[in-house]
């Protein structure tokens, strides 16, 4: 008998979400904003330790606001991790700027400090410093923020930390998402917690978040009539969605430990198969293991990630390739790509041989054993 579809990662409610949504109904704070939004923003501040937060309708919107606030505009250059979901890069284009994509290293899968350094050397020699650097924390692992930040600081360029996937992760004892001038989180349906759709912009700069709050609500000046002195957006999170977020924050730590247990069971299950190389965890950091990812080393086996996907799919189990890097996307064909040395492309290697295994926290141990058995059967 075929079991129900096993998902990569799907919404997993904690139990109190409906209570907070109901509160919004009971007080008729369906809109605008309201207590759930305020409380949800406060929870994120307390959880991550930042000074200020602005809930948004999406993580993409939060990136757009962040890049706007650091002054990205027409014909500017913005450095951005190549190995990511397209939403890290699209807001650069919304603002009329041009992304330059930076390769990953193989120990974090995130932006390679050597490649970033090369990019700065190349573009500063052309007198074209980027206006910002978008650094992504892939699959819940922080990038090497100390090294990357030192390079950005040297050139005086602000970081927008795309922590859409890494809420709950830590790097050198500090919460992921708190390393840049701005950090952003996503609460899209498949993320570690969800508001059905939503995001959050965070920063230690309270003035900057005040400005973000204004821009996110159509940039209305403080006047009874509708007056606007700058460009704004309609980017705030609804009070209903924020109610879901409040309930989800109560189970975030539980979800992180569940995700980490799922990863550990895979690592243990595949320990005798040398060709399956589980995504590393940087020393002195905590991966939230949003998705359990691995590389199938082509030098050790003929089995490919697509063989694994097909085998799992026969059992009604979802898996995915690793994100297709931005510099290989048709839409970004014209954009520059910089790696540690000419001819090297780690993000393409990870894309060609990587796989994201089912990481749903509702998946039972028995079902996960099945996943492991099906994959082991191929080797
Ligand atoms: C999900 C995601 C986003 C976008 O967040 P949305 O809330 O879906 O707009 C941005 N960057 C990365 C790396 C993501 O995974």
């Amino acid at each position: 008998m075929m079991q129900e579809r096993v998902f990569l990662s799907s919404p997993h409610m904690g139990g109190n979400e409906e209570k907070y949504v109901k509160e919004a109904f009971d007080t008729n704070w369906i809109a605008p904003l309201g207590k759930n939004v305020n409380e949800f923003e406060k929870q994120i501040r307390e959880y991550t330790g930042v000074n200020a937060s602005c809930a948004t309708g999406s993580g993409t919107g939060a990136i757009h606001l962040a890049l706007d606030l650091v002054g990205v505009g027409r014909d500017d250059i913005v450095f951005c991790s190549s190995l990511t979901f397209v939403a890290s890069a699209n807001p650069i284009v919304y603002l009329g700027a041009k992304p330059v994509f930076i390769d990953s290293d193989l120990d974090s899968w995130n932006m390679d400090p050597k490649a970033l350094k090369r990019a700065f050397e190349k573009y500063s020699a052309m007198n074209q410093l980027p206006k910002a650097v978008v650094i992504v924390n892939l699959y819940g692992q922080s990038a090497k923020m100390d090294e990357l930040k030192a390079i950005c600081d040297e050139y005086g360029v602000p970081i927008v930390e795309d922590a859409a996937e890494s809420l709950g992760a830590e790097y050198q004892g500090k919460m992921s998402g708190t390393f840049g001038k701005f950090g952003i989180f996503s609460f899209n349906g498949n993320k570690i917690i969800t508001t059905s759709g939503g995001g959050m912009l965070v920063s230690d700069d309270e003035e900057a978040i005040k400005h973000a709050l204004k821009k996110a609500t159509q940039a209305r000046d403080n006047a009874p009539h509708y007056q606007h002195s700058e460009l704004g957006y309609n980017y705030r999170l609804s009070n209903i969605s924020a109610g879901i977020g409040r309930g989800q924050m109560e189970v975030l730590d539980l979800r992180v430990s569940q995700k980490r247990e799922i990863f550990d069971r895979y690592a243990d299950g595949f320990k005798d198969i040398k060709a399956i190389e589980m995504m590393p965890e940087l020393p002195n950091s905590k991966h939230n293991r949003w998705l359990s990812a691995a590389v199938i080393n082509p030098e050790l086996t003929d089995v490919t990630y697509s063989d694994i996907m097909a085998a799992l799919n026969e059992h009604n189990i979802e898996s995915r390739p690793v994100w297709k890097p931005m510099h290989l996307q048709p839409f970004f064909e014209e954009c520059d790509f910089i790696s540690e040395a000419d001819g090297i492309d780690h993000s393409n290697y990870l894309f060609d041989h990587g796989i994201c295994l089912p990481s749903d926290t509702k998946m039972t141990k028995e079902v996960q054993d099945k996943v492991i058995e099906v994959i082991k059967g191929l080797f």
Side-chain angles (χ1 to χ4, degrees), residues 17 36 39 45 53 60 66 79 87 96 119 130 142 146 150 258 282 307 329 333-334 339 369:
E17 291 83 359
N36 282 337
E39 290 296 319
R45 287 197 297 278
S53 50
T60 312
F79 293 168
S142 176
D146 54 347
Q258 288 169 325
L282 289 176
D307 296 334
Q329 298 286 353
E333 215 166 49
E334 309 283 298
S339 65
D369 285 342

Side-chain angles (χ1 to χ4, degrees), residues 22-48:
K22 185 168 180 302
E23 252 176 54
F25 275 81
D26 290 346
T27 55
N28 201 36
W29 279 115
I30 307 300
L33 300 167
K35 184 179 171 192
N36 282 337
V37 174
N38 296 338
E39 290 296 319
F40 184 39
E41 288 174 337
K42 183 162 160 241
Q43 283 172 309
I44 287 284
R45 287 197 297 278
E46 288 174 353
Y47 187 84
T48 61

Side-chain angles (χ1 to χ4, degrees), residues 184-199:
I184 79 96
F185 299 110
S186 165
F187 311 111
N188 195 4
N190 63 357
K191 297 286 155 63
I192 194 156
I193 60 165
T194 183
T195 58
S196 112

Side-chain angles (χ1 to χ4, degrees), residues 57-63 83-89 136-139 162-165 184-191 197-199 290 323:
S58 69
T60 312
I63 298 172
L83 189 62
T84 185
F85 177 53
V86 70
S88 307
V136 178
N137 304 313
L138 207 73
Y139 299 136
D162 181 350
E165 303 176 1
I184 79 96
F185 299 110
S186 165
F187 311 111
N188 195 4
N190 63 357
K191 297 286 155 63
W290 168 55
W323 299 124

Side-chain angles (χ1 to χ4, degrees), residues 324-337:
K324 179 169 183 166
M326 293 305 113
H327 72 283
L328 302 177
Q329 298 286 353
F331 180 64
F332 292 118
E333 215 166 49
E334 309 283 298
C335 295
D336 196 5
F337 168 70

